Amino acid sequence: MTFTDFDVDLFLRDYWQKKPMLIRNPWQAWANPVEPDELAGLACEEGVESRLIGRADGRWSVEHGPLAEDRFARMGAAPWTLLVQAVDMHVPGVAALIAPFRFVPNWRIDDVMVSYATDGGGVGAHYDQYDVFLIQGLGRRRWRLGQHCDADTPLLVQEDLRLLAQFDVTDEWVLEPGDILYVPPGVAHDGIAVGDDCMTYSVGFRAPSRSELVEQFCAHMVTDMVEDDRYADPDLRAQANPGEIDAAALARLQAMVMDAVGDPAAFARWFGTYNSERKYPELDFRPDEQIAAEDVRELVADGVALCRNPASRFAFVAQGGDAVTLFVDGQAHDCDGDAALLARQLCAADVLTLDPVLMEKEAAVSLIVTLYNEGSVSFDPEDGPQD
Ligand code: SIN
Ligand code: CO
């Protein structure tokens, strides 16, 4: 899927993380990538995160999936919305929606959530902590945008919905199929279905919080620390008041902390590994049958393309020379030469037709074998999780 007319540089300069933007159908030919029935089917599956949100008599209700197969037949006349998380992992056509937004690096991408609503359905006025592109897939939705919110904004917490106590509407648009609304973090928004069969695709991003980074990085670093690496003061002098923790001691103590977490290489390796962990690590995508180097060479010689698993997260950090560390699904792979070239190619494209000449290089083939056997790449775009 590609855009015919969208100025990425202008968008990044004036809108990204700054202000909302309405993009009227920029697609070459918009086609809704998942049918309502297929979405409902996903919400009934184990291992798929979904919520069914209703509103009756002014009260919101939230039901978490997996839903019973007959659940939708039992819905009343009141408006409702079904939200299914990470549909890109299950439907290749939904994964393809991410392609035009790849001007944002892989590591910032979270998932594509898909919603289905009946006439009047919505999830209430709220704000999200992340950037989102809301693509109207089917039917129409009225979006109203409002004020900038933060942690101090008063909320009405109902079920697990965090609705805004006050919504000051600043803009209002009705989105038609193919239209896109970009909403930066913190901007109040409310989308209400205009007519039945309203489907919206949220291409969502992620941005780690400082508290998460500090907590997780420090937890990682302490695993290698030893008990006898301690504060030492062989230069201690008698002090006037024994009650004071003096500036020199504080500086030395703080340096112990800062030195332990200040190594850029250790941070890069940890972050790449941490950030590339799968969203749902319990889903097992490993193939029934492991692949061998010879099989890889044959498939590539036959022109079969290598596909990244849409549930896998690929990113790399450049090292000296042409070397890179490739991060895939929580694992770090140090690559140089041909393997590094392959690693860069894999991070740049979700489907890759490999050069058979590259397959003469042991390191490159061995990287593919490892990634294939972990379920991170396949030679078949339809490969899904194992039951
Ligand atoms: C929806 O698709 O109904 C809600 C998406 C959002 O507001 O983030
Ligand atoms: Co939202």
Side-chain angles (χ1 to χ4, degrees):
M1 295 248 199
T2 47
F3 291 158
T4 47
D5 182 23
F6 180 67
D7 188 336
V8 170
D9 294 332
L10 177 118
F11 170 77
L12 290 176
R13 195 191 65 205
D14 295 346
Y15 295 90
W16 175 253
Q17 298 235 304
K18 299 165 200 79
K19 57 183 183 189
M21 182 184 195
L22 174 67
I23 309 156
R24 288 288 183 197
N25 198 345
W27 308 86
Q28 227 147 39
W30 173 253
N32 183 46
V34 61
E35 291 302 315
D37 280 354
E38 197 183 346
L39 188 73
L42 277 173
C44 303
E45 276 181 30
E46 206 63 56
V48 176
E49 193 184 338
S50 64
R51 281 171 297 163
L52 185 58
I53 299 173
R55 192 179 189 194
D57 306 325
R59 289 282 319 161
W60 292 90
S61 62
V62 182
E63 236 175 277
H64 290 264
L67 304 170
E69 302 238 336
D70 66 351
R71 183 66 190 90
F72 301 102
R74 290 188 280 111
M75 298 304 291
W80 55 270
T81 295
L82 170 69
L83 300 172
V84 185
Q85 220 57 58
V87 179
D88 51 312
M89 291 182 197
H90 305 281
V91 183
V94 174
L97 292 182
I98 301 173
F101 303 104
R102 291 274 179 206
F103 54 83
V104 183
N106 293 356
W107 74 267
R108 290 278 271 117
I109 295 171
D110 186 11
D111 71 343
V112 184
M113 181 186 82
V114 185
S115 71
Y116 172 89
T118 59
D119 189 20
V123 302
H126 65 279
Y127 76 96
D128 298 306
Q129 279 165 330
Y130 307 107
D131 308 82
V132 66
F133 289 97
L134 299 156
I135 308 167
Q136 189 59 25
L138 190 69
R140 302 160 78 211
R141 187 185 285 275
R142 171 171 287 108
W143 281 102
R144 292 180 303 154
L145 296 187
Q147 74 274 25
H148 281 266
C149 307
D150 59 26
D152 297 327
T153 303
L155 298 178
L156 306 169
V157 180
Q158 280 198 31
E159 302 282 341
D160 58 2
L161 297 174
R162 293 160 52 79
L163 305 171
L164 295 172
Q166 194 184 326
F167 184 37
D168 308 320
V169 178
T170 52
D171 292 290
E172 180 173 323
W173 296 289
V174 173
L175 269 69
E176 308 273 346
D179 291 347
I180 303 173
L181 180 61
Y182 164 72
V183 184
V187 172
H189 55 284
D190 188 15
I192 297 175
V194 180
D196 283 332
D197 280 345
C198 168
M199 293 185 74
T200 302
Y201 296 77
S202 302
V203 178
F205 296 84
R206 57 199 179 129
S209 66
R210 190 191 302 259
S211 72
E212 171 192 358
L213 288 175
V214 172
E215 184 182 342
Q216 297 295 326
F217 180 49
C218 290
H220 166 76
M221 292 306 280
V222 292
T223 56
D224 284 339
M225 288 181 192
V226 291
E227 281 291 297
D228 55 6
D229 177 11
R230 283 184 178 270
Y231 181 81
D233 50 4
D235 52 351
L236 185 69
R237 298 274 177 274
Q239 58 186 59
N241 185 335
E244 183 181 6
I245 308 170
D246 70 14
L250 282 172
R252 194 176 283 184
L253 288 160
Q254 194 178 8
M256 288 175 74
V257 175
M258 302 310 269
D259 292 351
V261 295
D263 176 5
F267 182 79
R269 195 169 188 88
W270 165 77
F271 183 72
T273 308
Y274 172 72
N275 183 262
S276 73
E277 278 166 14
R278 286 193 189 141
K279 190 174 173 82
Y280 302 104
E282 64 284 5
L283 293 184
D284 186 1
F285 288 89
R286 283 173 301 178
D288 290 334
E289 278 182 42
Q290 299 233 318
I291 209 166
E294 215 26 63
D295 308 322
V296 170
R297 288 197 188 94
E298 264 175 42
L299 285 158
V300 173
D302 289 346
V304 183
L306 187 67
C307 310
R308 288 197 316 232
N309 177 350
S312 293
R313 301 188 190 276
F314 280 73
F316 73 87
V317 167
Q319 305 293 357
D322 66 355
V324 302
T325 305
L326 171 69
F327 301 100
V328 184
D329 296 333
Q331 301 291 326
H333 306 267
D334 292 309
C335 306
D336 56 15
D338 302 300
L341 176 69
L342 173 64
R344 285 173 187 268
Q345 290 177 348
L346 273 168
C347 288
D350 41 15
V351 178
L352 193 60
T353 303
L354 292 156
D355 180 354
V357 174
L358 193 60
M359 295 301 96
E360 288 160 19
K361 316 289 180 180
E362 194 51 46
V365 177
S366 138
L367 179 60
I368 296 177
V369 169
T370 305
L371 297 176
Y372 183 96
N373 292 336
E374 279 300 312
S376 307
V377 295
S378 74
F379 285 97
D380 179 352
E382 298 295 328
D383 274 358
Q386 304 297 320
D387 296 325

